[in-house]
């Protein structure tokens, strides 16, 4: 653990638990002086990246000026909104910026932080040791297990607009509406069957869809499947898609990049089918089948359909 000379600001949107639990689990590994800053539209006005960065930096800079010998680490959940204003925040604080981390811990005798992030499409993990005394980092969703308890902060502060900052209209908000999911409810699904790159192509995704139908499950997809246009983005599971915790998660031809594992490793039972015995997905699977998914999945589908037909008769 680092010494008391590290102040850790954990940031969340007021009224939203998206990513906030993970931020509060990550924070204690970086220092013991934990402070929670809440961003609230009622106090700051409609979301504006410049205003959010300015208000948050004013709060942190004011505290930092009174604690000149302290390191400062700011941890934010890696959301689309945060990814827009976090670089501005780092610039205003003169801080190092480390985006999309999947882990963090303190250094040894000096108390400087270390951050971990995946690179080269999750083929490697980089260890980042910023030299700056102030660091702004964004944390990938699913990076920490939901079983790890968050530590209560020593101080909770609602971020307000400083008196000397004039609200500006950086953009015109025409309205807000919920994104269409096309009838896909991955977040609330009890069972999910996910198609990975190993299915082979858009014309082969039906092997996963058929098994999902037989199980009464939602159809998920890994990022390569979405990037290749085999399934729409609303099916994507992973840190850049949906974070899911179903009772049953079946991964067909999913290699298991760290981003994908972050989005589904909290599932109660994980079944993986992959012809590569070294695929990372097997590291989190409760049951693994090393074999051709185009033989295994149809066999499972037939068995399930036969059992369902037997119950009806």
């Amino acid at each position: 653990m680092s010494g008391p000379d590290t102040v850790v600001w954990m940031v969340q949107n007021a009224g939203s638990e998206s990513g906030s639990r993970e931020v509060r689990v990550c924070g204690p590994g970086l220092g013991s002086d934990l402070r929670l800053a809440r961003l609230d539209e009622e106090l700051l006005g409609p979301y504006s990246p410049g205003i959010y960065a300015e208000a948050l930096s004013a709060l942190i800079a004011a505290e930092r000026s009174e604690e000149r010998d302290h390191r400062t680490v700011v941890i934010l959940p890696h959301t689309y909104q945060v990814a827009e204003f976090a670089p501005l925040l780092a610039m205003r604080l003169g801080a190092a910026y480390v985006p999309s981390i999947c882990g963090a811990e303190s250094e040894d005798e000096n108390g400087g932080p270390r951050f971990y992030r995946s690179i080269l499409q999750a083929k490697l993990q980089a260890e980042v040791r910023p030299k700056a005394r102030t660091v702004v980092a964004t944390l990938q969703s699913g990076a920490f297990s939901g079983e790890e308890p968050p530590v209560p902060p020593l101080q909770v502060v609602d971020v307000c607009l400083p008196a000397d900052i004039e609200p500006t209209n950086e953009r015109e908000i025409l309205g807000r509406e919920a994104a269409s999911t096309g009838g896909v409810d991955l977040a609330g699904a009890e069972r999910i069957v996910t198609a990975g790159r190993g299915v082979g192509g858009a014309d082969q995704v039906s092997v996963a869809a058929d098994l999902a139908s037989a199980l009464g499950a939602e159809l998920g997809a890994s990022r390569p499947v979405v990037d290749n246009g085999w399934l729409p983005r609303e099916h994507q599971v992973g840190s850049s898609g949906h974070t899911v915790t179903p009772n049953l998660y079946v991964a067909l031809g999913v290699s298991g990049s760290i981003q994908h594992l972050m989005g589904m490793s909290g599932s109660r039972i994980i079944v993986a089918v992959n012809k590569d015995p070294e695929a990372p997905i097997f590291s989190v699977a409760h049951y693994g089948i090393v074999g051709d998914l185009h033989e295994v999945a149809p066999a499972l589908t037939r068995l399930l359909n036969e059992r369902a037909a037997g119950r009806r008769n």
Side-chain angles (χ1 to χ4, degrees):
M1 290 290 291
S2 62
D5 62 336
T6 300
V7 176
V8 181
W9 283 97
M10 303 173 293
V11 182
Q12 76 171 84
N13 281 327
S16 172
E17 287 299 313
S18 177
S20 63
R21 179 183 175 86
E22 289 149 326
V23 165
R24 286 183 282 133
V25 170
C26 176
L30 293 165
S32 57
D33 190 343
L34 303 174
R35 307 176 186 186
L36 181 65
R38 297 189 300 188
L39 300 167
D40 192 340
E41 282 196 6
E42 291 187 5
L43 298 175
L44 296 172
Y47 168 69
S48 172
I51 293 297
Y52 272 46
E54 189 67 32
L56 191 52
S57 66
L59 170 66
I60 295 171
E63 297 278 348
R64 189 176 56 176
S65 65
E66 299 174 2
E67 302 159 339
R68 299 181 187 278
D69 295 332
H70 287 58
R71 294 179 185 272
T72 302
V73 178
V74 185
I75 302 290
L76 306 96
H78 189 79
T79 64
Y80 290 115
Q81 199 176 82
V82 167
E84 185 177 29
F85 76 79
L88 293 173
L89 173 63
M91 183 179 67
R92 284 170 166 77
L93 291 173
Y97 177 53
V98 189
S100 192
I101 65 171
C102 56
E105 60 186 6
S106 65
E107 264 285 10
D108 39 31
E109 66 277 0
N110 296 323
R114 286 183 292 186
F115 301 96
Y116 302 94
R117 60 190 307 270
S118 57
I119 58 174
L120 300 178
Q121 296 183 337
K123 292 182 175 64
L124 295 175
Q125 187 177 78
E127 180 180 299
V128 183
R129 301 187 184 190
K131 295 180 180 179
R133 298 283 293 179
T134 302
V135 181
V136 173
T138 62
L139 178 66
Q140 282 279 9
S141 63
F144 287 83
S145 168
E147 298 177 357
E148 299 179 63
V151 176
L154 299 176
Q155 181 181 358
V156 179
V157 182
D158 288 316
V159 182
C160 299
L161 191 65
D164 58 346
I165 296 179
E166 288 289 336
T168 58
N169 294 323
E170 294 181 313
R171 60 189 63 183
E172 182 183 1
I173 299 176
L174 302 178
R176 299 183 182 185
E177 60 183 61
S180 172
T181 60
V184 181
D185 183 18
L186 292 176
E190 293 190 3
R191 304 182 190 93
I192 296 174
V193 175
T194 290
R197 191 202 306 267
V199 300
D203 57 339
Q204 302 294 316
V205 171
S206 59
V207 71
D210 291 343
L211 180 57
S213 178
L215 280 169
E218 290 282 5
L219 178 62
S222 66
R223 181 168 180 171
V225 169
V226 171
D227 287 347
N228 287 324
W230 301 348
L231 280 172
R233 188 160 299 277
E234 55 262 26
H235 291 270
Q236 185 174 329
V237 174
S239 59
S240 55
H242 294 277
T243 298
V244 299
T245 55
N247 288 329
L248 174 64
Y249 188 88
V250 181
L252 300 178
V254 176
S255 63
S257 70
I258 189 169
Q259 288 96 336
H260 189 82
L261 298 185
M262 284 179 182
M264 47 66 70
S265 58
S267 303
R268 184 168 175 268
I269 297 176
I270 300 171
V271 179
V273 181
N274 199 298
K275 63 183 180 181
D276 178 8
E278 302 299 322
I281 190 70
F282 288 125
S283 68
V284 298
H286 300 93
Y287 302 95
I289 302 174
V290 178
D292 186 343
L293 70 89
H294 291 287
E295 296 177 0
V296 175
L300 291 174
T301 300
R302 285 194 299 271
L303 178 61
L304 290 166
N305 287 336
E306 288 170 1
R307 287 186 175 181
R311 287 194 295 269
R312 287 194 297 268
N313 295 331

